[in-house]
Amino acid sequence: MEYKLPPLPYDYGALEPYIDVLTMEIHHTKHHQGYVNNLNKALENYPDLQEQSLFQLLSRLDDIPGDIRTAVRNHGGGHYNHSFFWEIMKKDGGGEPVGMVADEIKKYFGGFAVFQDQFNTTAKSVFGSGWAWLCMSQEGDLLIKSTPNQNSPVSEGFQPILGLDVWEHAYYLKYQNMRPDYINAWWHVINWEQVEEYYRALVK
Ligand code: MN
């Protein structure tokens, strides 16, 4: 079974003016497609691993044969992270969290504004390429963390609830070196209903 690029749940221009149409198109059709292709290539000679889910592969990287472990971490992580990322955005998104996740954010961070501030600091502080995440730990606690490169939080035992790609390919065409402007804009396109859905899937 080969991995396939999932279609975006909206048009490339749907997140304008916050994330521009050209960035979305290149990000999806070139970068994400590249991770999918390279993941398939890495698993080519490992039919047993092709039977496992990507979550299984990423959550037990130590069990992956040494010759393809880095490729699975990078390209499997890239496929997993981007598939997640597209879903937590939408046209006319933004505003504040809803439902259970809103209550949990308040419980763990004191309020949405405090959470947002801490998330922004983490996202701005990623050195080089990587991601900022709101995750759930194995104990069920919410926390903000970053991962380098395309490393996925699931490889460290954390389940993503919200995530932001801060690779330059995610913003450079429109924002150049102004990563903070991209981060601020991104809050306007968050699909909080989907974030709530991800949260509920973890606690059910
Ligand atoms: Mn990306």
Side-chain angles (χ1 to χ4, degrees):
M1 186 208 75
E2 293 224 312
Y3 287 98
K4 286 198 168 60
L5 182 69
L8 278 191
Y10 37 76
D11 298 337
Y12 289 123
L15 308 182
E16 291 268 10
Y18 304 106
I19 303 182
D20 62 288
V21 61
L22 187 57
T23 294
M24 286 302 293
E25 186 170 357
I26 294 173
H27 201 171
H28 184 248
T29 63
K30 305 296 182 199
H31 293 279
H32 190 172
Q33 181 73 65
Y35 300 124
V36 170
N37 295 347
N38 286 317
L39 174 62
N40 285 330
K41 201 180 291 173
L43 297 177
E44 220 164 39
N45 299 318
Y46 292 91
D48 50 323
L49 296 183
Q50 293 171 23
E51 300 298 308
Q52 296 186 28
S53 71
L54 187 52
F55 177 83
Q56 284 176 308
L57 297 179
L58 290 173
S59 44
R60 291 199 302 263
L61 276 178
D62 287 347
D63 296 341
I64 305 289
D67 62 326
I68 61 163
R69 192 178 303 140
T70 299
V72 171
R73 179 186 292 117
N74 290 343
H75 302 293
H79 179 35
Y80 192 88
N81 294 342
H82 285 84
S83 301
F84 177 92
F85 183 54
W86 308 134
E87 297 290 329
I88 55 100
M89 299 188 288
K90 69 169 187 178
K91 186 179 177 61
D92 302 324
E96 300 210 357
V98 295
M100 291 170 75
V101 82
D103 297 339
E104 291 297 297
I105 285 173
K106 196 167 186 185
K107 177 179 153 193
Y108 281 93
F109 302 97
F112 179 58
V114 184
F115 161 73
Q116 211 175 12
D117 198 48
Q118 287 182 23
F119 191 98
N120 286 347
T121 300
T122 299
K124 284 181 218 164
S125 310
V126 172
F127 182 72
S129 299
W131 292 72
W133 304 95
L134 171 66
C135 291
M136 185 184 286
S137 72
Q138 282 166 339
E139 294 75 32
D141 296 319
L142 260 55
L143 70 154
I144 296 168
K145 65 186 273 71
S146 62
T147 56
N149 307 311
Q150 290 299 349
N151 291 18
S152 181
V154 304
S155 301
E156 300 171 32
F158 298 100
Q159 294 271 10
I161 300 169
L162 178 70
L164 175 59
D165 185 347
V166 293
W167 281 57
E168 284 185 347
H169 70 221
Y171 64 87
Y172 209 84
L173 287 178
K174 184 177 172 79
Y175 295 99
Q176 290 82 48
N177 59 320
M178 276 92 78
R179 186 193 285 179
D181 292 353
Y182 159 69
I183 296 170
N184 289 335
W186 171 72
W187 293 100
H188 294 276
V189 297
I190 296 181
N191 181 347
W192 285 112
E193 290 77 21
Q194 181 59 50
V195 174
E196 170 73 353
E197 222 166 281
Y198 279 134
Y199 176 81
R200 280 175 185 262
L202 298 177
V203 295
K204 72 168 183 227

